[in-house]
Amino acid sequence: MSYLAWVDFDPADRKRAQEIISLFKSPEARDELGLAAVRDGLADLLFPATSTIQTRLRYMFFVPWIFQNAVEEKDSATAARNFEIELISALEKGKEKKGVIGIDAGRKLKRLPSSVYWAALDTLGIRLISGTPAAILANADTYSRPLWHPNLPPQPDGFLETTSFTLRRDEAAFIADRLASEAKDSLFFELSNNMVDLTDVEQAWHLPKKNISRENVALLEHAKRFSFVMHGAHILYNRMLAKRARKNENARVHFESGELLEQYSTQLKNWRDEIPDMKLDDWDLNDMFRQVRATSHKLREPTIEFIERWVGCVIQNKAKGRNAKELVRKRELQTKSTQKARLQSDAALERWSGASSVNQMGFRWNIAKQHLADLKNAE
């Protein structure tokens, strides 16, 4: 049996480790070409305290309230889990369906809301003591200071019987205060002060720039270009897999590889046609790397080299040639073992779904957009 552990010393490292463990099971966790440091670094700068596995903003209150109740019980760990399971039924009774964590799994739920929101509660200064949920519950009686922010709104009576995702006014005000205190430079905070309808804004860089700071406009430009440019690398990667699958005489799956090859060839052509619109010649990659380095994400030299070389291929209109393909091939080997590299291993190729990392990076915009809607619709 294998397991992952870390020493609970540095808050940033602990937060990062918790997010990594959660993302192992996330449907958006695939990072075929090792770009997560830049992707997640930009997302943290734009939308701190979010993650791809969050659903609704009111869990920022449900979790502290549940732990406040659990520490009063003799077996606090069991009580906390039971309360988190009870929350599922309470939300269903409140007519909530979309975004309810565990609505399908019920008592078999493994990823509890507390694990999903634990790091975010630390980021926003709502949770004041470091440690895992289990450690917090086990040592609750020994702490000399409060676990939760003193202005945390009180839990409503009977919220574990019937509740909803609708924020109360005092809850929305508390989140706004936390964003102002802990994330005042972020786009998340700026948008929280300008409660317009964001439903139809597909990507964050489509936002009107009028009320956005110059610094965040620059971050959005980095995000837009990075998302577009690396989307091309992933299309090429999938095209290379489809071509390899079609030629692989030992393949037992991917009988549709010829169709996939045609599909990705068309996508690659369409993507290449859009390159001039990105105006990549004046893209300051060093500035993007500098900003990512300011986050807790480790940006390594091989990653920087791959991004710089791939951007060079794109600018020179050579993102389909032999050098580009070799660059992608080598990058996969840098990020995976030979046995797991689909461009090298037949067994790994057999496990290819036919589409790996094909969606453009959104930098958690959909999560942030839902949270902002929750703030806007507080009652």
Side-chain angles (χ1 to χ4, degrees):
M1 181 177 69
S2 61
Y3 59 90
L4 178 66
W6 73 91
V7 179
D8 194 10
F9 287 149
D10 184 84
D13 287 343
R14 183 185 64 258
K15 175 185 171 184
R16 179 73 181 132
Q18 288 171 331
E19 289 179 346
I20 289 172
I21 290 172
S22 295
L23 287 173
F24 280 147
K25 297 182 180 179
S26 170
E28 297 184 25
R30 299 213 67 90
D31 182 29
E32 301 289 5
L33 299 178
L35 303 172
V38 177
R39 178 197 66 199
D40 296 344
L42 290 175
D44 280 356
L45 290 167
L46 291 165
F47 307 115
T50 63
S51 76
T52 58
I53 53 177
Q54 290 178 5
T55 58
R56 301 295 295 271
L57 188 58
R58 207 177 189 206
Y59 276 109
M60 296 281 194
F61 298 100
F62 290 149
V63 173
W65 292 339
I66 282 172
F67 273 64
Q68 285 176 338
N69 293 338
V71 295
E72 302 296 328
E73 303 292 328
K74 184 176 181 180
D75 186 347
S76 58
T78 299
R81 176 177 174 80
N82 288 339
F83 292 154
E84 293 195 64
I85 299 300
E86 287 177 24
L87 180 62
I88 300 170
S89 297
L91 286 165
E92 287 183 297
K93 289 178 183 177
K95 309 301 181 183
E96 300 287 5
K97 293 182 180 179
K98 186 178 180 181
V100 178
I101 297 175
I103 194 168
D104 294 322
R107 290 205 164 270
K108 295 181 180 179
L109 180 63
K110 293 182 179 179
R111 182 187 289 154
L112 297 166
S114 55
S115 68
V116 174
Y117 286 83
W118 201 248
L121 292 166
D122 177 51
T123 299
L124 291 183
I126 299 173
R127 175 168 59 86
L128 303 180
I129 294 178
S130 299
T132 64
I136 292 292
L137 290 170
N139 298 288
D141 293 338
T142 67
Y143 298 125
S144 59
R145 58 193 180 96
L147 171 57
W148 306 108
H149 192 281
N151 294 333
L152 179 75
Q155 57 184 276
D157 293 337
F159 85 95
L160 285 174
E161 297 175 6
T162 302
T163 193
S164 74
F165 287 131
T166 302
L167 293 172
R168 300 177 308 194
R169 293 286 183 182
D170 61 332
E171 294 164 9
F174 176 76
I175 292 294
D177 174 76
R178 293 292 81 219
L179 287 170
S181 174
E182 305 298 329
K184 63 181 176 60
D185 294 328
S186 70
L187 181 60
F188 196 6
F189 171 68
E190 289 181 351
L191 295 176
S192 72
N193 284 327
N194 184 23
M195 285 300 170
V196 297
D197 187 0
L198 303 172
T199 304
D200 296 329
V201 181
E202 186 177 352
Q203 296 287 3
W205 45 86
H206 295 154
L207 288 162
K209 305 303 188 293
K210 182 174 65 173
N211 296 315
I212 299 176
S213 67
R214 182 177 60 183
E215 292 77 13
N216 282 321
V217 168
L219 273 176
L220 286 173
E221 189 63 26
H222 284 317
K224 174 185 176 181
R225 287 170 164 173
F226 188 72
S227 178
F228 172 81
V229 167
M230 292 308 161
H231 184 48
H234 285 120
I235 295 173
L236 178 59
Y237 173 70
N238 280 277
R239 185 184 182 278
M240 292 167 68
L241 290 176
K243 188 172 184 178
R244 185 169 180 269
R246 189 181 65 171
K247 292 181 176 180
N248 187 357
E249 297 178 354
N250 298 320
R252 298 186 301 276
V253 295
H254 303 311
F255 56 86
E256 78 287 11
S257 55
E259 184 178 323
L260 287 171
L261 179 58
E262 182 178 347
Q263 171 188 319
Y264 288 122
S265 295
T266 300
Q267 288 186 19
L268 193 61
K269 178 184 180 303
N270 293 339
W271 172 80
R272 284 162 57 91
D273 289 343
E274 295 180 33
I275 292 174
D277 296 335
M278 289 295 110
K279 301 177 182 178
L280 299 174
D281 289 325
D282 65 350
W283 187 13
D284 189 350
L285 283 173
N286 287 329
D287 180 68
M288 182 180 73
F289 295 145
R290 176 187 63 80
Q291 302 225 43
V292 170
R293 286 193 185 97
T295 70
S296 62
H297 301 279
K298 307 297 183 184
L299 185 56
R300 305 188 186 283
E301 285 304 315
T303 302
I304 293 174
E305 182 181 0
F306 169 70
I307 293 171
E308 290 177 335
R309 291 184 63 188
W310 175 257
V311 171
C313 283
V314 175
I315 291 175
Q316 296 167 25
N317 201 26
K318 295 180 180 179
K320 189 182 176 183
R322 181 180 301 174
N323 289 343
K325 293 175 184 176
E326 189 60 23
L327 184 61
V328 169
R329 189 185 311 277
K330 288 182 177 179
R331 182 56 180 168
E332 188 191 30
L333 276 175
Q334 278 183 337
T335 60
K336 305 174 185 176
S337 66
T338 303
Q339 293 76 19
K340 292 183 178 180
R342 296 188 177 115
L343 290 172
Q344 301 291 325
S345 166
D346 288 346
L349 181 63
E350 294 284 325
R351 295 189 293 271
W352 177 48
S353 68
S356 294
S357 301
V358 292
N359 295 324
Q360 278 196 249
M361 300 174 195
F363 306 96
R364 308 185 207 137
W365 168 238
N366 285 334
I367 301 299
K369 184 163 62 170
Q370 178 61 68
H371 288 355
L372 289 165
D374 287 342
L375 280 174
K376 178 177 180 291
N377 296 324
E379 296 180 353

